[in-house]
Amino acid sequence: MRLRALLETDALGLRLLGGEDELDRTVRGVMTTDLRDPSRYLSGGELVLTGLAWHRDAADSEPFVRILAGAGVAGLAAGEAELRDIPADLVEACRHHRLPLFAVNESVAFATITEHVVRQVSGERAGDLAAVVDRHRRLMTSGPAGGGPEVVLDLLTSDLDLRAWVLSPTGRQIAGAGAPLPGPLGAALAGHHLAATRTGRRGPHRAAVAGTTYSLFPIRNTGRGAVPAARDVRESVLSDWLLAVEADASDWPAARLDLLQGVTQLIAVERDRRDAARTVRRRLAQEVLELVQAGAAPAEIAARLRVAAPVLLPGLGVAPQWQVVVARVDWGATGQAATADDIASGPVAQALLEEILVDPAVSGPDSADRIAVAHTGEEAIALVPLPTATTAAAGSDEDASGEAARADAEDADALDEEPGLHADALLASVREPLSAGLADDGRLTLGVSAAVHSAEGLRGALEEARHARRVAAARPGRVCAAGHHELASHVLLLPFVPDDVRRAFTARLLDPLRDYDRRHRAELIETLEAFLDCDGSWTRCAARLHLHVNTLRYRVGRIEQLTGRDLSRLEDKLDFFLALRMS
């Protein structure tokens, strides 16, 4: 029961003196004491009743309350019969230690409060256990296979008053009962779960987000027919689902914890069933990939694509455009059971890429049915179908108004300009949780190709995606992506410059400027970046930096003097540009 319920029971004669924000604490028992140090008799969660016989002067309150708070009691109720008024020093000590404090009217016996608490707590435990037994029976007869994870979550909500959601490792909602979980909240909970899992702690994990406490349960099938457990947590951490429950499970009885573990088992079986259904799409992607890498004739690849298109885009009679995404997960050496070389990164990247390519705004376990991902070696390669503008237009209402038709035409033009996935937006909503799962020894890099319209373009798209992934790998950060549009510039070349050459080149050009800035706070590096970004225009650069043109000329002159370069020469401008990009 909650402290709030005791305060609302008039017959108990309780008056709140402090701790209004802590009234949702759970009371698991009651204890009466007048000892100065009752810690040996406390196990946490008690409502402590005291007649204040231990209180002789103001110095006694703080150590007494500190002991209670350290033991994790739910609250303190002090009788007014002995001293009439509760000492101010006791009120202050409870406020300092955030311990709820009640005054007990002298007309109410402690035995009355004790009897009420014991009766309520015992009744709740008995009722909860009976509910758990009944839930087990119902869950096993109407589990997820009969209607999806929502069946189980609905039972938790209706019968045990628990709000719960099934989330992917990126925080995308797969199932839920009641109102959907906001995207940022789901991502934050997934991040908490992945970070806790990487530390090796067993679930459930406790997470407090925006003032609300959640318990996070890993979803794994450990029953008959389950996949053998991973040797290393890194083999599964980025692909496991989790169950988020809006409650603090730390004070739950064992029977209720067992129920939630049973729920995760049922959902895990459903996850395995749906993963098995994805096998067809994976096989199609593998077949197409093998043909492309083997240099098969375009006609043979096109024939295989015609087989794949109806599976990936059911109901469409027009062959779509295709896009290729390449992903790789790399692990550093740690003291874990398996070395980084022993971890099968290909399957990890495959499962993760299948999740990343799902629109984060789309919920449900089957929302990735149009994505085919294969893995080869350490890479995962996705074949992503994109409906053509013609196909999209064919499904529109022929009777649409002229204004709507013009809007559709504008959307189609935009699609023609840059169709499909964009690397810079691909990981926007998943970077935070995935970084938590990668911790300090993992990296995820992705490369995205341009859209191609035929089988002839797939080989080039695959190479393009692989080159883009190498560009992403050269950048700092745990999660990085690069797209095809970056391959036509200097960015393509920079990742392949040896590290020692990079360091020597940037140090020779930029170290004199950094040293000068450090000594004089002259902002020469910032000035150089702005000057190059403004294509050497004195007027535009001065306006951007809010400087007089003469001041800008002085700074540029100082840059040239310190480096021996001439910023009016194209060669020197290019050297500075590359040095800034490599630094």
Side-chain angles (χ1 to χ4, degrees):
M1 67 179 303
R2 307 285 179 180
L3 284 174
R4 190 182 305 278
L6 291 175
L7 186 63
E8 294 170 351
T9 304
D10 294 336
L12 300 182
L14 296 177
R15 179 164 51 88
L16 184 65
L17 299 180
E20 294 85 351
D21 297 334
E22 305 291 335
L23 291 179
D24 286 325
R25 291 188 181 189
T26 300
V27 179
R28 292 197 291 267
V30 64
M31 177 200 175
T32 300
T33 185
D34 276 316
L35 295 174
R36 288 174 175 270
D37 181 2
S39 57
R40 75 190 74 171
Y41 304 111
L42 298 172
S43 58
E46 298 92 349
L47 173 67
V48 175
L49 304 175
T50 181
L52 297 177
W54 52 267
H55 187 278
R56 296 189 177 92
D57 56 48
D60 293 335
S61 292
E62 205 286 331
F64 180 78
V65 174
R66 184 174 67 250
I67 290 169
L68 298 187
V73 304
L76 173 65
E80 295 178 321
E82 183 75 19
L83 302 178
R84 305 294 262 174
D85 292 325
I86 306 302
D89 49 273
L90 180 60
V91 176
E92 175 59 24
C94 288
R95 185 200 62 77
H96 177 71
H97 289 282
R98 301 182 63 83
L99 182 67
L101 175 63
F102 303 88
V104 182
N105 190 282
E106 60 181 337
S107 64
V108 178
F110 283 176
T112 302
I113 300 174
T114 301
E115 181 183 355
H116 178 84
V117 171
V118 170
R119 185 171 60 250
Q120 292 295 320
V121 171
S122 299
E124 286 186 5
R125 286 176 178 168
D128 194 41
L129 182 57
V132 166
V133 173
D134 185 51
R135 292 306 78 70
H136 266 300
R137 178 183 58 78
R138 292 172 59 186
L139 290 174
M140 297 309 295
T141 58
S142 60
E150 289 83 358
V151 171
V152 181
L153 301 186
D154 284 341
L155 282 176
L156 291 179
T157 300
S158 61
D159 293 353
L160 294 183
D161 196 26
L162 292 175
R163 298 179 65 209
W165 303 265
V166 178
L167 304 177
S168 78
T170 66
R172 180 177 62 88
Q173 180 174 319
I174 293 165
L181 206 62
L185 176 55
L189 292 176
H192 278 287
H193 174 74
L194 291 174
T197 302
R198 283 303 311 274
T199 65
R201 289 190 283 124
R202 298 183 59 185
H205 308 303
R206 184 180 183 276
V209 181
T212 302
T213 300
Y214 300 85
S215 295
L216 311 176
F217 294 80
I219 294 177
R220 300 190 189 100
N221 185 6
T222 57
R224 182 178 299 177
V227 177
R231 299 167 302 160
D232 191 303
V233 68
R234 293 174 291 181
E235 291 185 348
S236 60
V237 65
L238 297 178
S239 58
D240 286 343
W241 289 356
L242 66 132
L243 177 67
V245 181
E246 189 180 315
D248 186 351
S250 61
D251 60 355
W252 283 3
R256 178 172 279 210
L257 286 172
D258 287 344
L259 170 67
L260 267 293
Q261 297 295 348
V263 168
T264 63
Q265 288 284 296
L266 290 170
I267 298 174
V269 171
E270 181 72 0
R271 165 76 185 270
D272 292 345
R273 184 183 70 82
R274 300 191 186 213
D275 278 351
R278 191 174 290 174
T279 303
V280 174
R281 297 189 297 279
R282 289 177 171 176
R283 186 169 65 246
L284 287 172
Q286 195 73 43
E287 291 175 355
V288 173
L289 174 62
E290 290 173 357
L291 289 174
V292 170
Q293 294 191 123
E300 186 177 359
I301 299 175
R304 179 55 55 190
L305 287 176
R306 282 194 293 273
V307 173
V311 176
L312 301 177
L313 290 175
L316 295 182
V318 180
Q321 303 175 72
W322 301 93
Q323 209 169 358
V324 176
V325 181
V326 173
R328 177 171 174 142
V329 176
D330 293 291
W331 301 103
T334 70
Q336 298 192 43
T339 67
D341 292 338
D342 292 332
I343 299 174
S345 295
V348 175
Q350 180 183 42
L352 188 55
L353 193 53
E354 286 173 334
E355 170 60 30
I356 290 173
L357 294 177
V358 179
D359 183 349
V362 176
S363 63
D366 293 325
S367 50
D369 283 355
R370 295 181 176 182
I371 299 166
V373 184
H375 72 84
T376 173
E378 300 303 306
E379 285 183 336
I381 302 171
L383 188 64
V384 182
L386 306 172
T388 61
T390 304
T391 303
S396 62
D397 188 350
E398 295 180 358
D399 297 328
S401 66
E403 183 177 352
R406 282 192 299 275
D408 289 343
E410 291 173 1
D411 291 342
D413 290 342
L415 182 64
D416 288 338
E417 290 176 7
E418 194 72 42
L421 302 169
H422 301 272
D424 55 353
L426 192 60
L427 297 181
S429 61
V430 301
R431 182 178 284 108
E432 180 180 351
L434 293 184
S435 295
L438 292 163
D440 58 356
D441 62 344
R443 290 199 75 207
L444 168 66
T445 52
L446 294 101
V448 183
S449 78
V452 295
H453 302 267
S454 63
E456 289 87 344
L458 275 182
R459 185 177 180 85
L462 177 58
E463 290 303 314
E464 193 172 58
R466 280 176 166 160
H467 281 305
R469 194 205 64 78
R470 293 190 193 102
V471 170
R475 295 172 174 167
R478 290 290 163 198
V479 182
C480 298
H484 63 92
H485 61 282
E486 300 181 65
L487 302 185
S489 71
H490 65 282
V491 179
L492 175 62
L493 302 176
L494 295 185
F496 306 103
V497 178
D499 288 342
D500 56 342
V501 176
R502 283 170 173 259
R503 287 192 294 269
F505 183 74
T506 57
R508 187 169 66 250
L509 281 175
L510 301 183
D511 278 2
L513 306 182
R514 290 180 177 133
D515 291 342
Y516 190 87
D517 281 348
R518 197 159 37 244
R519 293 196 309 270
H520 303 283
R521 299 183 180 178
E523 300 181 351
L524 295 185
I525 291 289
E526 180 185 351
T527 301
L528 175 62
E529 289 178 331
F531 187 72
L532 294 175
D533 196 43
C534 292
D535 298 322
S537 169
W538 298 99
T539 304
R540 284 193 288 126
C541 183
R544 173 180 293 189
L545 296 175
H546 306 291
L547 298 175
H548 192 278
V549 172
N550 288 342
T551 303
L552 176 61
R553 290 185 185 277
Y554 172 80
R555 288 189 183 181
V556 171
R558 178 64 67 184
I559 292 171
E560 293 174 335
Q561 181 185 19
L562 291 170
T563 61
R565 298 300 184 104
D566 183 354
L567 276 168
S568 66
R569 297 178 66 246
L570 176 61
E571 294 88 342
D572 288 340
K573 286 181 182 177
L574 181 58
D575 282 351
F576 277 123
F577 176 81
L578 293 175
L580 288 169
R581 290 299 182 273
M582 287 191 291
S583 63

